[in-house]
Amino acid sequence: MDYNQQLTDWQYYYSRINRLTQGHHQVEQTLNSGLDGLNSLTYTGEKWLAEKECNTLLLQCCRLTLPSNEHLVTKFCQFIYNAVYKQDIKLTQKTLDELLTFLIEFCNVCHDWSASDALRALGAILYGRGASCLKFCNQLLKTSEPIGILTRYCRSKNDDISRLAIQCIGNLAFKTVKMGAALELSHYQMCYEILQRTMEIYLDTNFTDPLNACRNFNCTLRSLQNLLTAIQNLNTISLNPLIAVLRVFMLYGVEKVTLTQAQASVLLTQGGSPVKTQDSGATLSSQRRLRHKTFNKKSGNTATNDSVAPSPLSTDTAASTGMMFNSLYQTDTNLSIKPLVTSDSEYSDNESGQALKLKSATSKVRLNALSCLQIIFKRCNKGVSLGYWHYFIPDSIDSKIPSIFTCITKDYSTKCRQGGLLLLTALFDGSKSYLTAANYKDKSNGPFISFSYTLASMLHEVHRSLIKAMQQSHSDQLITQILKCLTVVIMNTPYNRLQQGFLTKIVDTILRYMHKSDQNIRVAFLTCLISVISVEGPSSEMQDLLSLSTYPGYNYHRVENSRQLPDYTPWIIKLCNNLLYDTRRAVNLDDSMNSLSIQSSVAENALQVLIIFAANYPQIIWKSLQDVTNIASDWLADGDRKITLYAVKLLEEIARIRQKNIIEPNANEKELYLREAVNYWNYLLTDVLPKLLETSINGTIRAAACDCLSMIGTEVLQELSITLRIFCMTTLLALCKDENALIKASAVRCIGVFTMFNSLCDDSTFIADCIIVILDAIENTQINVRIKAAWSLANAIDTIARNRLQYRENFSANLVSKIYAAILKAADDNDKIKFNVMRALGNMLQFMSNQHLQSEEFVEYISKSTVVLSKNVGSGMMKVRITAAQALSSASDRKCYGDPALYASIWKSYVVCLSNSAEITDFSEYKHLNNLKDQVYISVCHLASLMEETDILSIRTQLSGLEDKLIQFIQEYPLEILQRQVSDGNEVNNFQEHKKKLIDRLSLVLKNFHGEGSEFLRLLVEKLSIGENEDETS
């Protein structure tokens, strides 16, 4: 239909209906013909309806249409569907409320023949509008009497109506990005209960029509996907039975795996009650032995000493679920559905068509089930998901139970194979900390197999199966997905706890794809290679693999116009060199946008391979540093910003290696390494960095150039010409004032590095300029800038504290005051900033001179600093507390600790710190506990060494009721150190020496003091001295 004619017709029908009133004698006739006309228009394609007019018309139809006139209502419902779904009209809240009220009222009185149109319209209205429909949720979803309309229709014997009702639930639960959180938790639980009950009805239905059954399953699974995505916390629903049924569905129709109605129904409602099957007499697989060991704790079985926490499914219900899985896949089980026949030759033409439809429908069931499982394992706690691994991943090559690899290797649908790979990716992603429990050496000779060994066996099987799947696959799309999945597997696998050889097998397998014509495969191959060389703790296997100049699986032939490389160059550098220049040649041949994008991705990843190779294996790459520098330089001027950025990052890694060679060389090679580094930096500072730091260059690249400059090192800087040194310093100071937060953060960090250089520490003017720009940055609105500024300020103050005699003369009181004010203000900032603020305060206490201590302004600053440090010793992140404790013990002058009340409060803060440290709940913080205690012990002893007679009474008051805790800590902590797994005799002696000095100091103060508080001090000395003579004798 002509567009202008359509608009004319719309306006005609709109005007006719809009003029009608409730009492008009021809209202039904006019409305009927108007709706016919409106429904005859074309709503597909571009949006052409005016939203304001459409909302007005929908409201008018709600007022004029009587629910009793079912024929008229069905036409109105068709118009709602056309306007809201096909034209994507945005409904006002008033229109939405009126439409929902009308449709709910109609659904309560209509017949089945008109319910379909009503539900279709309702589904269109509910889609993505859950947050706006909260007041109608009970009328739609209520599961108790009187039940909601969707609940009632889901139980309908008419499958078409039931499916439409299920779609409505899925649409209601659908969470859009714009709307955010949609329904309340109770409503989500209602939705889940309805879908669970509906699935049970479907499973209990006689599968005389398997095609229709698949439609029902698919509809329910799609709605379930929306629901699982929307629920914020999946722990609020019962996952066990859901995962059990989804696991059955993911294999439905593959390898003769079919549904057994009764068993699947029991799984859904009871979470998997055990079903007895005939014992075939075969020996239990290690997987079943693991389940027996994990889940039968109540039987008193303690045959294993495995210290790994049991599976999150260690309940009777979960055990039953695991047994149910076995029973579902016994080859001798009587199945209620015939195995799917995939050969068309067994059917007539008509039957062949039906078989193909059924084949397509079952593949959709599998795909939807895999999508649901992917959502669950992507969003649930990784510790919980690990408990389900043995339901999806085999633990030996001999396992006959269908698994996720049945989908990946044997499913005839490529999409289902990809779905299986995505599910495997979701299982592995983020599981690194849990998989460290694997240990293939932990194999016992008894009847039970340890969890750590079984987990290692699963990881072995995952690698074996993925490599096999890759070798057998001929689909480019599938190969790409396998490579992506393998990348995630590699990133999360603890190879140091598995058998050696897997990384070599992976490299052998993936190398065949580096020259594939499909560039997506090349990108996936390089990403996988990056994950291989990123494996933590470079093993001897990887050292040997990457140090080779020629690799058996890679025949190196230099690409035209690529860099000429020496024969000894490691094969991985040759490979990246070829890929980079081959990419440039391909772009010249095909300069379309799509080609440019894909080719750029190849080049980016090839440069990333070189960056990570340089970072992780500097001892292998160092002989080829000049060749890699040449490669990076060739790509600096590339038009693609990302490629330029990675080229700069590669130059930074080269600079890091050269600096490391200078710091840790053999004595004979130091001069050689230094000369090479100076030549390298002459090149960078003359030809590269000045161009990259120009204001016209992208901010991210300029920031990367600053990061590169921070790698120069004090030895190299000292050897450069005065011109280049001035260029470095003036450029950095200017960049610290840049408005771009990314550039400012990088420049400020680089300044912090420069302030620590020995070659610049005597330049008080430069250090003062650095501090001024840092003080400006520490008040920036961007937290990343403030974090870098706090770190740099702590470095700068460390420098002036080390050279305090010089800087006390050269720094004005005004500048020192500004430094103190800025630090104290930053002390209330984020914990990541506080860490360096505490360090800066400690250095400032060391910097203070007698002249400063005579000024009321600085005395107040010192007092405030002490209060801030004392406060942070007792609470916050462990690193902050340790640094604060260290800072409090940095001053060697008693005057820096204020009056006796303030001095005594520091004592109390240490005791409070010890009390709070026993209440740590965060495991990541627990590893720092010993460091905190060490520092508190040293700080208390240091504090005692400065005690004066006037402090005793205040200390007694502050420590009232806490002195025993302090005495116990000082007495017993050296023994605690001795009992640590990694104990150092010298360390214990050091702490004993600290303790002796503390007692000697307190005894000296007590000797000449007889005032109030002397009894407290005497008692303290006596308790601390208990066992001291024995310690000396021992």
Side-chain angles (χ1 to χ4, degrees), residues 356-394:
L356 290 174
K357 286 181 181 179
L358 182 57
K359 185 177 179 180
S360 173
T362 53
S363 69
K364 289 177 182 177
V365 171
R366 296 194 299 276
L367 186 60
N368 284 320
L370 288 164
S371 297
C372 287
L373 287 167
Q374 183 192 348
I375 294 168
I376 290 171
F377 290 123
K378 187 180 284 187
R379 301 189 63 228
C380 78
N381 179 276
K382 293 302 174 182
V384 173
S385 69
L386 188 64
Y388 292 98
W389 270 39
H390 54 278
Y391 296 160
F392 297 93
I393 299 173

Side-chain angles (χ1 to χ4, degrees), residues 503 537-548 571 613 616-621:
L503 292 171
S539 61
S540 57
E541 177 189 358
M542 288 302 298
Q543 296 273 5
D544 296 341
L545 181 71
L546 296 174
S547 59
L548 296 172
W571 65 270
F613 180 48
N616 291 354
Y617 298 92
Q619 71 280 12
I620 297 177
I621 201 175

Side-chain angles (χ1 to χ4, degrees), residues 148-270:
I149 60 168
L150 293 181
T151 308
R152 175 161 55 85
Y153 280 124
C154 282
R155 299 175 183 177
S156 172
K157 293 182 179 179
N158 185 321
D159 285 344
D160 290 333
I161 292 178
S162 177
R163 284 196 293 267
L164 285 169
I166 291 170
Q167 287 175 9
C168 286
I169 292 174
N171 289 357
L172 179 63
F174 181 74
K175 183 175 70 173
T176 62
V177 177
K178 293 181 180 179
M179 297 291 285
L183 307 181
E184 296 176 357
L185 177 59
S186 60
H187 298 142
Y188 285 130
Q189 289 172 333
M190 287 180 187
C191 290
Y192 183 70
E193 186 179 341
I194 296 168
L195 293 178
Q196 179 178 332
R197 174 60 183 159
T198 306
M199 184 70 79
E200 182 183 349
I201 293 171
Y202 287 158
L203 290 168
D204 282 339
T205 305
N206 187 13
F207 293 124
T208 53
D209 186 355
L211 191 58
N212 190 58
C214 287
R215 292 195 188 102
N216 293 340
F217 295 145
N218 279 318
C219 181
T220 309
L221 290 170
R222 281 194 295 268
S223 293
L224 194 58
Q225 286 178 44
N226 289 346
L227 182 61
L228 292 170
T229 304
I231 297 176
Q232 190 169 4
N233 183 4
L234 291 181
N235 292 331
T236 57
I237 61 174
S238 179
L239 289 178
N240 278 14
L242 176 59
I243 291 174
V245 172
L246 291 175
R247 190 210 189 243
V248 176
F249 279 137
M250 84 173 193
L251 297 164
Y252 179 39
V254 181
E255 284 288 288
K256 300 184 179 181
V257 174
T258 56
L259 287 171
T260 303
Q261 299 164 13
Q263 291 177 333
S265 178
V266 168
L267 276 173
L268 190 63
T269 55
Q270 300 179 13

Side-chain angles (χ1 to χ4, degrees), residues 58 62 65 67 73-78 80-81 84 91 95-110 114-126 136 139-140 149-150 152-153 168:
L58 289 169
C62 279
T65 308
V73 173
T74 56
K75 293 180 180 181
F76 177 38
C77 289
Q78 290 168 14
I80 293 172
Y81 180 79
V84 178
L91 301 175
T95 307
L96 180 63
D97 290 348
E98 290 290 332
L99 288 172
L100 286 173
T101 303
F102 175 83
L103 289 172
I104 290 172
E105 182 184 350
F106 175 69
C107 286
N108 281 322
V109 298
C110 70
S114 58
S116 298
D117 287 309
L119 290 170
R120 196 173 286 109
L122 184 61
I125 294 169
L126 294 176
F136 297 95
Q139 298 178 61
L140 295 169
I149 60 168
L150 293 181
R152 175 161 55 85
Y153 280 124
C168 286

